[in-house]
Structures are given as C-alpha cells and as structure tokens.
Amino acid sequence: MNNRIHDIYRPVEQRRRDFKEVERPLTCAEIAGQAKRCMGCGIPFCHGTGCPLGNVIPEINSAVAVGDMRRAWEILNTTSNFPEFTSRVCPALCEGSCTDGINEEPVMIRQLEKVTVETAFRNGWVKPFVPEHRNGKQVTVIGSGPSGLAAADELNRLGYTVTVYEANAAPGGLLRYGIPDFKLDKAVIDRRIKIMEASGIRFVCNTRVGSDVSGAYLARRADAVVLAIGTPQARDLRMPGRELAGIHFALEFLQGQNRVIGGEAAVVPVSATGRRVVVIGGGDTGSDCVGTSIRQGAASVLQIEIMPKPPEQRSPSTPWPEWPYLLRTSSSHREGGSREWNVSTRAFLGEHGRVTGLDVVEVKWEFSPVGRPLKFTEVPGSARRIDADLVLLAMGFTGVSPEGVAAELGLAVDPRGRVLSDPERHIFCCGDTANGASLVVRAIADGRRVARALDESMRRNER
C-alpha cells in the first residue's frame, strides 16, 4: 500500500530565497502510486460532497493510475475551466471528504489534478474554444478574477461575444495580484489568458469601471452584464494607534511584491526587509504574508490569531465528510516565523508617528460539546506588549460598498456587503461579489452557475 506523500516541496533553504513555486514535481512512480490509492474506494464522496465544481475525481484518478493522461484530461476538462489554478491554490475540499481519509490519509487529489492539467498543456491538448455559431448577444464582464474568468469562458462557449473589463494592468484579479508567485506563477495565468483571447474573449485592462468608464454606459451597450469584482473592502482593526505608519492591509503588502515581480513596479511600496513583522489573522492570506516577509528578509515574523489553536486531528465538530477543522501548517509556516493563538489586539503602540508594537491580551474560549469555539473572555493579568515595526492586517474582507459600481448599475447591496443580481435587467453577480469572500474553487463554480443562469434568462426573453 502506498502512503500519502508529505514531502511535496522544494528544500526550505532553497525556496525561501526566491519566489518560484514551492512545490516540487512528483515522479511518474509517485503519481501512479497515489492514483492507485483511490482505486479501493467503495462509495466516493469527493466529487459530490467535496468538490464545488463536481469534478469526476474517481474516473480522473482511474485514468491517471493506468497512465491514460489524455483520458484523465478529457474528463477533467468537462467540469473545470481552470484546473491549473485550483491544483495550485485550492485547499482541496475534496480531500476532506475522501473515503480513504476515514481510516487512513486522503488521496492526493490536488496533486493528481495538477499533473493531469500540466501534462495536457505540455502535449498541446488545451486548445481555444471558438463557438461554431455566435448568437449575436454581447456580454460585459466587470472583473477578471476567477469567477469573472469562469463566467466569461462559459458564456463564450455558449455563443456570446464577451468583453472583460479589468482595473489592473493585466487580468487575473487576486489570482495575479493577491496570491504570491511562490504559490501561483503568473505565467500560468498568462498561458490561460492567451487561450481565452484566441477563443474570442476580449480583455480591456487598465480600465476602472466607475471612473474610467461608467457601469451604466457599459450596461447600455451590452445585452447582459456580469459583475465579478470580488470583495474589495478589507476588514480593518479600528483601535487606538491605527493611524500610525507601518500598519497596512495584507493585500497592499502582497500586491506590491507581485507587481514588482510582474514588472509593473520598480520597488515594493511596503517592505518587510529588516523589520519585526506581526501578521494579524491566521488564515491563508496571513500565511502568504508570512512567506513573503521571509523572502523579503524580515528580522522576525509572528502571526497572531484571536481564535484558539485548532486540534491536531479532525475536530468532532466537523465529522467526515465535512471539511475538517484542524491545525493546518502551510509551506510558509515551515519556512520560519512563529504563530500564537488566543491573542487579542487592544491597541497599536508607536513613537514619532510610526508603529513600534502592539498592546495585546490573552483570551480564553468557551467551547460547544463537540469542540466548536463559541465565545471568549480576556484572561486577567495577561496583557503584554509585542514589538513590531510592520503590522499586516489579514482578517478577511467585508464585502462590496453600496456606492461605486453597484450603485451605477442600480444593484442593491445586502447588510453583509453582497451585491444582489437583477435578472430582469440581465445584470448578474457572481463569486465573492455575490456570496462574500470564499475560495477560488467556489468562485469558479459560481461563475459557471451564473453563466448558465444568464443564458437561461436570455432564452426566456426570446420565447
């Protein structure tokens, strides 16, 4: 029996000195061995319960196990628009519901997807899709993140003429400007955009809807509009000292580094070089800040989180086949720095207008009978200072402002910052814009869903 492979990264001392992708290529023997682990499954939950895209995972893995990579790609290509993205940045929800994970470790589904799509690109199997007939309808997609790209790709396949507007210099949204290159090389995005352009999809970049061109104008010129601008408002930490220099949102920090690597900027606007970095927020974005700070040469890196430390094994609060609540250690965490849980920030401390530290206190959590965190109280006498020269806020996003593009398009925004579609006027919202901040794979799935809903709406009008 082949065991799950845990050594999937380049050596730490090598990768922490560059921004190349951290994962090493698996050998053919490793790939075949991992695919064969999937073949003993009785009733698969991975593709139904686990994967938002509905990837037919057992059939893909079966093809990989016998070396029929062309067949594996053909199956994967029916459900997933951009497996080269998800196989790099998805947390692999499918693996959380893998039947093998009940008594052993789950199959390496994400790595098998990655080798499938990369083999397809290497052999020229990934080709543009130009519809045999266009339906004469124009669709404008505002935003080129994963949901906008998926909606554009699906609509093009349905025969629509699609134009995608992007505020930045190149398409990709947070795939390009938020996720570090050491997780997703931007050449991977460029490769896909070229295929989409060859398929007939037009990209208009460096154009901010709402200032360079109005949303109302675009809506008048198109038969339908898809709004896919993500959740641009980051969650802030409003407390004493917030005005001090040296406190930045995580994306400001991450985008700056990505723009330098992409040749859009000469120097990073926010640098961790030689600084004592504190990252507030324990999620993936916080982890990306850790890895980027290490590569920039930070003096020290500390990631703090108000939530309790997750258990080492699956929590009873998330039984199989649910996505397990447990401690996750990323490749960035393995490269250095430290983490602390149960830490609440009370104030930012500073001298001469610049941050020098944090006033924090430990908190104690109350749990439900199955181990789910419920509420916390401060621990008396636990207040302390954490020194910091650079503080990065990585606490998620609060949604879309009711003003701006949403207002221009006449769309309502609910109290949670989610923009509501208006099918009667053929204006649809997808991804994080419609549902709140979530995962790349869910954004792609929602882009596909909205494309189908838009098409059905247009067809109803023609009857």
Side-chain angles (χ1 to χ4, degrees):
M1 172 63 71
N2 292 288
N3 295 320
R4 182 182 174 95
I5 301 170
H6 294 281
D7 176 25
I8 63 171
Y9 301 108
R10 295 190 290 126
V12 169
E13 288 307 314
Q14 178 189 94
R15 70 179 191 253
R16 60 180 283 161
R17 293 197 299 267
D18 62 44
F19 281 88
K20 297 176 183 177
E21 289 190 354
V22 295
E23 290 190 6
R24 67 174 178 85
L26 299 182
T27 67
C28 293
E30 288 174 324
I31 289 298
Q34 290 304 305
K36 289 175 183 176
R37 293 186 66 224
C38 182
M39 299 302 97
C41 174
I43 301 177
F45 281 72
C46 52
H47 67 287
T49 302
C51 181
L53 289 167
N55 287 345
V56 193
I57 294 165
E59 283 79 357
I60 296 169
N61 291 350
S62 178
V64 174
V66 298
D68 191 351
M69 301 303 295
R70 183 66 180 260
R71 176 63 177 157
W73 163 247
E74 289 172 350
I75 299 171
L76 177 60
N77 191 41
T78 62
T79 57
S80 181
N81 301 72
F82 315 120
E84 66 271 31
F85 301 158
T86 51
S87 63
R88 286 170 165 83
V89 303
C90 184
L93 304 180
C94 50
E95 295 182 15
S97 57
C98 173
T99 305
D100 226 23
I102 300 176
N103 298 314
E104 300 177 5
E105 291 187 290
V107 173
M108 299 176 70
I109 300 171
R110 183 174 65 80
Q111 277 75 26
L112 294 174
E113 178 184 41
K114 184 176 179 180
V115 74
T116 298
V117 65
E118 289 306 313
T119 300
F121 270 107
R122 192 163 54 250
N123 286 281
W125 301 337
V126 187
K127 298 182 181 299
F129 183 93
V130 180
E132 190 172 333
H133 301 288
R134 295 283 181 184
N135 60 18
K137 303 292 185 181
Q138 304 275 342
V139 178
T140 292
V141 177
I142 302 174
S144 68
S147 66
L149 291 178
D153 191 46
E154 287 296 300
L155 288 166
N156 176 71
R157 291 171 181 273
L158 290 167
Y160 292 87
T161 299
V162 183
T163 302
V164 181
Y165 285 83
E166 169 57 48
N168 287 295
L174 290 188
L175 291 170
R176 183 179 297 275
Y177 294 101
I179 297 174
D181 284 63
F182 58 77
K183 289 172 63 176
L184 175 61
D185 189 319
K186 303 311 176 261
V188 173
I189 303 174
D190 295 336
R191 180 178 65 181
R192 175 59 69 171
I193 296 300
K194 288 179 181 177
I195 290 174
M196 295 180 73
E197 289 176 328
S199 300
I201 299 170
R202 178 171 171 250
F203 291 89
V204 181
C205 296
N206 280 318
T207 303
R208 186 173 295 278
V209 177
S211 55
D212 298 321
V213 62
S214 77
Y217 171 77
L218 294 179
R220 288 195 303 270
R221 288 173 55 87
D223 296 288
V225 174
V226 175
L227 184 63
I229 59 173
T231 51
Q233 295 191 127
R235 180 170 286 107
D236 207 343
L237 198 56
R238 292 293 178 185
M239 55 183 51
R242 177 62 181 88
E243 75 286 352
L244 293 166
I247 304 171
H248 301 270
F249 289 117
L251 280 185
E252 182 185 356
F253 174 66
L254 296 173
Q255 286 180 6
Q257 180 62 65
N258 285 11
R259 291 182 193 281
V260 168
I261 295 174
E264 294 183 31
V267 295
V268 292
V270 181
S271 174
T273 305
R275 299 194 181 280
R276 299 165 296 179
V277 179
V278 174
V279 180
I280 302 179
D284 287 342
T285 302
S287 167
D288 293 343
C289 289
V290 170
T292 301
S293 296
I294 289 170
R295 284 162 176 75
Q296 288 185 355
S300 64
V301 184
L302 170 64
Q303 185 178 15
I304 62 175
E305 169 61 67
I306 194 171
M307 297 296 291
K309 183 178 181 179
E312 298 283 345
Q313 304 296 326
R314 180 191 288 266
S315 166
S317 66
T318 53
W320 182 90
E322 292 184 21
W323 177 243
Y325 172 59
L326 50 74
L327 179 65
R328 302 183 190 280
T329 301
S330 71
S331 61
S332 293
H333 294 139
R334 292 184 175 94
E335 293 165 359
S338 57
R339 290 187 282 177
E340 293 184 13
W341 290 265
N342 301 309
V343 177
S344 176
T345 304
R346 302 195 300 186
F348 299 105
L349 309 175
E351 296 177 3
H352 308 298
R354 183 170 185 88
V355 69
T356 57
L358 285 74
D359 174 20
V360 304
V361 64
E362 293 183 24
V363 299
K364 182 178 180 180
W365 284 87
E366 293 182 21
F367 296 85
S368 71
V370 294
R372 190 181 298 275
L374 296 176
K375 61 180 181 178
F376 68 87
T377 55
E378 292 187 359
V379 177
S382 66
R384 59 189 171 98
R385 173 194 171 101
I386 296 177
D387 291 333
D389 306 307
L390 176 62
V391 178
L392 302 174
L393 306 180
M395 303 177 298
F397 303 87
T398 60
V400 179
S401 170
E403 293 80 35
V405 180
E408 286 193 16
L409 294 173
L411 299 175
V413 180
D414 74 8
R416 294 177 58 185
R418 300 173 299 189
V419 187
L420 307 181
S421 296
D422 188 348
E424 293 298 317
R425 294 191 295 129
H426 303 307
I427 302 178
F428 293 82
C429 304
C430 66
D432 292 0
T433 299
N435 306 310
S438 189
L439 304 173
V440 168
V441 66
R442 289 188 178 130
I444 294 172
D446 201 54
R448 290 168 61 88
R449 178 193 64 80
V450 162
R452 292 192 295 270
L454 186 155
D455 184 53
E456 290 170 5
S457 175
M458 299 291 285
R459 289 178 183 274
R460 280 196 301 270
N461 268 22
E462 294 174 354
R463 295 187 190 126

